[in-house]
Amino acid sequence: MNIILLQTDIQWQKPNENRTHAETIIDTLPQVDLVILPEMFTSGFCMTPSDIAEKADTDTLHWMQTIAEKKNVAIAGSVSVEDGGKYYNRFYFVKPDGSYATYNKKHLFTFSGEDKEYAAGDERVIVEYKGVRVLLQICYDLRFPVFSRNRGDYDMIIYVANWPTVRIDAWNTLLKARAIENLCYVAGVNRVGNDPGNSYNGGTVLLDYMGKTIVAAEDGLENAACGNIDIQILKDFREKFPALNDADKYRIIN
């Protein structure tokens, strides 16, 4: 599977401009299977969702479906949405035929007050696309390995993020840890630029199941990094090195 990780700057609370900007970049890209955008790519990491949240399954989702169909590509990223009177940081994974999966961020970033404005999801979401089973995760989820522990049910994790420069070493380290401990590919897509509270330098990367870099975006700049994952190579490695079979048995009690 060929994947583009789109490391963009995000204009603060300007969804139309951000969608247009992303589409302009996507139009210049080669044909691939999947394009991944950052967390809250239409607004930035905004803690006043009443100002920017979209109704569920409307503006940005329809835009993603249009892009997916036009380009024959899957497209992924998270958006602030209002659904049933609650706000969610919602990850959309949209396939070329317009079908889609959603994941509501489970681990809300209390340090910024996200837990006071958004409702937490409680479902672990895996989507299958072109023979690849993909676990959907958002930013702060990266710090909680139990929730994302591979039960033999996925091949790649996607983390979309607004992860600030001041904590970027944690981002770099934890992405590698998640790849190694779960014997899976990891795509981490972060933004660049500034919002009213933080600066961001990227760190967007695609890792293999040993934590080795397949491709990385250039830090501090908007750019698209294109890399390939091979599921057969992953399966062969898991058969030769069956560490997942030795994992501790447990269950999560909410």
Side-chain angles (χ1 to χ4, degrees), residues 19-139:
R19 285 191 294 263
T20 298
H21 182 57
E23 185 170 355
T24 299
I25 298 172
I26 291 169
D27 281 343
T28 69
L29 301 176
Q31 181 62 48
V32 293
D33 300 304
L34 172 62
V35 173
I36 309 172
L37 291 153
E39 177 185 21
M40 291 197 187
F41 68 89
T42 62
S43 63
F45 188 61
C46 177
M47 293 303 98
T48 54
S50 59
D51 294 338
I52 49 92
E54 303 175 10
K55 294 294 184 182
D57 307 339
T58 56
D59 297 349
T60 297
L61 174 60
H62 294 166
W63 174 84
M64 294 172 80
Q65 290 173 316
T66 299
I67 296 294
E69 181 180 7
K70 181 173 74 171
K71 294 293 186 180
N72 190 31
V73 67
I75 185 167
S78 96
V79 184
S80 176
V81 302
E82 186 273 324
D83 191 357
K86 296 181 179 180
Y87 297 111
Y88 296 94
N89 186 345
R90 179 166 292 176
F91 193 136
Y92 286 116
F93 187 106
V94 181
K95 298 180 181 180
D97 64 1
S99 64
Y100 63 94
T102 63
Y103 161 67
N104 294 325
K105 186 177 182 181
K106 176 176 173 59
H107 299 97
L108 302 178
F109 193 42
T110 56
F111 185 76
S112 70
E114 187 179 19
D115 60 312
K116 294 179 174 61
E117 301 295 337
Y118 290 86
D122 59 8
E123 183 181 3
R124 187 172 178 271
V125 177
I126 295 168
V127 58
E128 185 166 352
Y129 175 60
K130 292 202 167 186
V132 181
R133 300 167 302 167
V134 184
L135 177 68
L136 309 182
Q137 299 276 273
I138 301 174
C139 204

Side-chain angles (χ1 to χ4, degrees), residues 159-174:
Y159 289 100
V160 298
N162 277 206
W163 196 289
T165 305
V166 69
R167 292 186 291 276
I168 201 65
D169 285 346
W171 165 262
N172 295 333
T173 300
L174 292 173

